[in-house]
Amino acid sequence: MNIIVDYKILNPAIKEHLPRYASEGSAGLDLRACVEHVQTLNPGETFLIPTGIAIFIKDPNYAGLILPRSGLGHKHGIVLGNLVGLIDSDYQGELLISCWNRSSKSFLINPLERIAQLVLVPIMQAEFNLVEDFDTTNRGTGGFGSTGKA
């Protein structure tokens, strides 16, 4: 099932490079760096990169996730400063990408370079029920590593 997501172009430079699916099976839409000049991202630095667009998902049953591009992360150490960006259905501002250079080398971000991806996901809002105790399970309160290595 497809949903309709409204968008606005905030910077005319992005007009020819709007987010799109690269293939029929793509889960994410590429987001581009809408910067005027090459941006140097030094080791350990973060930089907030504008995309030149704003979206409005509207439907509270969906949210957007901004994820890093796997090639940039693996080959160059460029990931998201917030690890995953969450775009709520009622947010209407510009999509901004927090890029973090976790490598030991400087990285150049070129104007209109694909820098992250946007994935739309279904959302369920929960109602919370206060109880005195939980039903017993085999795991119980066992946390990190409690189920073994295999």
Side-chain angles (χ1 to χ4, degrees):
M1 177 176 102
N2 291 335
I3 66 165
I4 304 295
V5 176
D6 292 341
Y7 71 95
K8 291 194 306 189
I9 295 173
L10 304 176
N11 185 326
I14 201 70
K15 206 173 226 175
E16 301 296 319
H17 302 282
L18 294 173
R20 65 177 184 83
Y21 294 101
S23 71
E24 189 175 311
S26 293
L29 299 124
D30 288 327
L31 296 174
R32 295 178 181 264
C34 194
V35 292
E36 289 186 41
H37 308 287
V38 174
Q39 175 68 44
T40 301
L41 193 56
N42 292 312
E45 282 186 340
T46 58
F47 182 70
L48 205 53
I49 300 173
T51 62
I53 64 164
I55 66 170
F56 180 30
I57 298 170
K58 287 187 275 191
D59 187 338
N61 295 306
Y62 292 90
L65 298 179
I66 295 179
L67 303 171
R69 296 194 68 236
S70 55
L72 289 178
H74 179 71
K75 294 175 183 173
H76 304 287
I78 304 302
V79 295
L80 300 184
N82 55 340
L83 303 183
V84 173
L86 175 62
I87 309 301
D88 295 313
S89 63
D90 56 352
Y91 177 69
Q92 298 179 342
E94 183 171 15
L95 296 182
L96 299 169
I97 312 300
S98 174
C99 280
W100 170 37
N101 184 348
R102 62 183 174 115
S103 78
S104 60
K105 297 178 183 173
S106 293
F107 182 78
L108 301 179
I109 298 171
N110 294 299
L112 303 175
E113 180 174 0
R114 295 179 301 156
I115 200 73
Q117 54 189 327
L118 172 69
V119 175
L120 295 168
V121 295
I123 296 296
M124 293 176 56
Q125 290 186 339
E127 291 184 30
F128 284 84
N129 181 41
L130 178 62
V131 297
E132 293 294 322
D133 210 350
F134 297 124
D135 294 339
T136 303
T137 65
N138 287 336
R139 184 173 185 169
T141 59
F144 298 103
S146 66
T147 59
K149 281 187 159 189

